[in-house]
Amino acid sequence: MKLTQLKHWLKAGHGQVPKCILNSYAGCSDYLMEIEFKQQLEPLKNDNDEMMRFQSIEQVKELLHPLGITSVVLRVIDPYDEFSPDGKVSSCQEDMIISL
Protein backbone atom coordinates (compact mmCIF):
# COMPACT_ATOMS: atom_id res chain seq x y z
CA MET A 1 0.00 0.00 0.00
CA LYS A 2 1.40 3.37 -0.96
CA LEU A 3 1.52 6.14 1.63
CA THR A 4 -0.76 8.31 -0.52
CA GLN A 5 -3.36 5.50 -0.58
CA LEU A 6 -3.19 5.26 3.22
CA LYS A 7 -3.68 9.01 3.56
CA HIS A 8 -6.71 8.96 1.24
CA TRP A 9 -8.18 6.00 3.14
CA LEU A 10 -7.83 7.81 6.46
CA LYS A 11 -9.24 11.07 5.07
CA ALA A 12 -12.28 9.24 3.68
CA GLY A 13 -13.48 9.08 7.27
CA HIS A 14 -14.90 5.58 7.46
CA GLY A 15 -14.09 5.69 11.17
CA GLN A 16 -11.90 2.63 10.95
CA VAL A 17 -8.18 3.03 11.61
CA PRO A 18 -6.13 0.26 10.01
CA LYS A 19 -3.88 -1.97 12.06
CA CYS A 20 -0.27 -0.92 11.51
CA ILE A 21 2.50 -3.46 12.10
CA LEU A 22 6.05 -2.19 12.62
CA ASN A 23 8.50 -5.02 11.97
CA SER A 24 11.90 -5.19 13.61
CA TYR A 25 14.26 -7.94 12.51
CA ALA A 26 17.15 -9.18 14.62
CA GLY A 27 20.42 -7.76 13.36
CA CYS A 28 18.78 -4.92 11.37
CA SER A 29 18.86 -1.30 12.45
CA ASP A 30 15.66 -0.16 10.74
CA TYR A 31 11.94 -0.92 10.87
CA LEU A 32 9.52 -1.86 8.10
CA MET A 33 5.81 -1.03 8.23
CA GLU A 34 2.89 -3.16 7.09
CA ILE A 35 -0.76 -2.10 6.97
CA GLU A 36 -3.63 -4.56 7.44
CA PHE A 37 -5.98 -4.25 4.49
CA LYS A 38 -8.80 -6.76 3.87
CA GLN A 39 -7.30 -9.11 6.47
CA GLN A 40 -3.91 -9.16 4.71
CA LEU A 41 -0.72 -7.30 5.50
CA GLU A 42 0.64 -5.02 2.80
CA PRO A 43 4.01 -3.28 3.04
CA LEU A 44 3.88 0.51 3.28
CA LYS A 45 5.58 2.00 0.22
CA ASN A 46 6.47 5.50 -0.92
CA ASP A 47 5.28 7.00 -4.22
CA ASN A 48 8.25 5.42 -6.02
CA ASP A 49 6.96 1.97 -4.97
CA GLU A 50 9.88 1.44 -2.57
CA MET A 51 9.32 0.01 0.89
CA MET A 52 9.44 2.70 3.56
CA ARG A 53 12.14 2.19 6.18
CA PHE A 54 12.23 3.92 9.55
CA GLN A 55 15.31 4.47 11.70
CA SER A 56 13.35 4.99 14.93
CA ILE A 57 9.88 4.73 16.41
CA GLU A 58 9.96 8.53 16.69
CA GLN A 59 10.06 8.71 12.87
CA VAL A 60 7.01 6.44 12.75
CA LYS A 61 5.22 8.71 15.22
CA GLU A 62 6.02 11.82 13.14
CA LEU A 63 4.47 10.17 10.08
CA LEU A 64 1.41 8.45 11.56
CA HIS A 65 0.29 10.61 14.49
CA PRO A 66 -0.84 13.54 12.27
CA LEU A 67 -2.91 11.02 10.29
CA GLY A 68 -4.83 10.03 13.42
CA ILE A 69 -3.07 6.73 14.09
CA THR A 70 -2.26 6.60 17.80
CA SER A 71 -0.70 3.16 18.16
CA VAL A 72 1.18 0.50 16.21
CA VAL A 73 2.01 -3.12 16.84
CA LEU A 74 5.74 -3.63 17.16
CA ARG A 75 6.61 -7.11 15.91
CA VAL A 76 10.08 -8.34 16.84
CA ILE A 77 11.20 -11.17 14.56
CA ASP A 78 14.27 -13.31 15.14
CA PRO A 79 15.13 -15.09 11.87
CA TYR A 80 18.00 -16.91 13.58
CA ASP A 81 15.57 -18.88 15.78
CA GLU A 82 13.65 -20.63 13.01
CA PHE A 83 13.39 -24.09 14.55
CA SER A 84 12.54 -25.36 17.97
CA PRO A 85 14.61 -28.11 19.65
CA ASP A 86 12.14 -30.76 18.45
CA GLY A 87 12.72 -29.75 14.79
CA LYS A 88 9.37 -28.04 14.24
CA VAL A 89 9.07 -24.49 12.94
CA SER A 90 8.64 -22.19 15.90
CA SER A 91 6.80 -18.92 16.12
CA CYS A 92 9.81 -16.64 16.43
CA GLN A 93 8.08 -13.32 16.89
CA GLU A 94 6.73 -11.18 19.68
CA ASP A 95 4.13 -8.44 19.37
CA MET A 96 3.81 -5.34 21.57
CA ILE A 97 1.45 -2.41 21.23
CA ILE A 98 3.31 0.92 21.13
CA SER A 99 1.39 4.16 21.79
CA LEU A 100 2.43 7.02 19.54
Side-chain angles (χ1 to χ4, degrees):
M1 172 178 288
K2 291 186 180 180
L3 179 59
T4 53
Q5 290 173 307
L6 177 63
K7 288 179 179 179
H8 288 303
W9 181 14
L10 293 169
K11 285 183 183 179
H14 297 297
Q16 187 177 10
V17 176
K19 185 175 185 180
C20 299
I21 311 289
L22 189 62
N23 293 305
S24 173
Y25 294 90
C28 294
S29 62
D30 54 3
Y31 301 93
L32 298 173
M33 175 80 65
E34 292 179 306
I35 308 296
E36 188 175 283
F37 180 69
K38 294 185 179 181
Q39 299 179 346
Q40 291 187 356
L41 293 176
E42 294 194 20
L44 184 60
K45 298 180 179 183
N46 63 19
D47 290 332
N48 296 327
D49 210 32
E50 299 166 339
M51 289 187 64
M52 294 186 70
R53 297 181 182 274
F54 301 92
Q55 299 302 311
S56 68
I57 294 177
E58 191 63 33
Q59 272 187 322
V60 174
K61 180 180 180 177
E62 290 172 5
L63 177 73
L64 297 181
H65 203 264
L67 300 175
I69 298 174
T70 58
S71 66
V72 295
V73 175
L74 176 61
R75 182 167 288 167
V76 181
I77 300 171
D78 184 1
Y80 304 109
D81 185 25
E82 292 182 17
F83 299 97
S84 63
D86 61 1
K88 296 181 181 176
V89 176
S90 66
S91 176
C92 43
Q93 64 187 28
E94 278 188 46
D95 290 351
M96 316 174 227
I97 295 179
I98 304 291
S99 296
L100 300 176

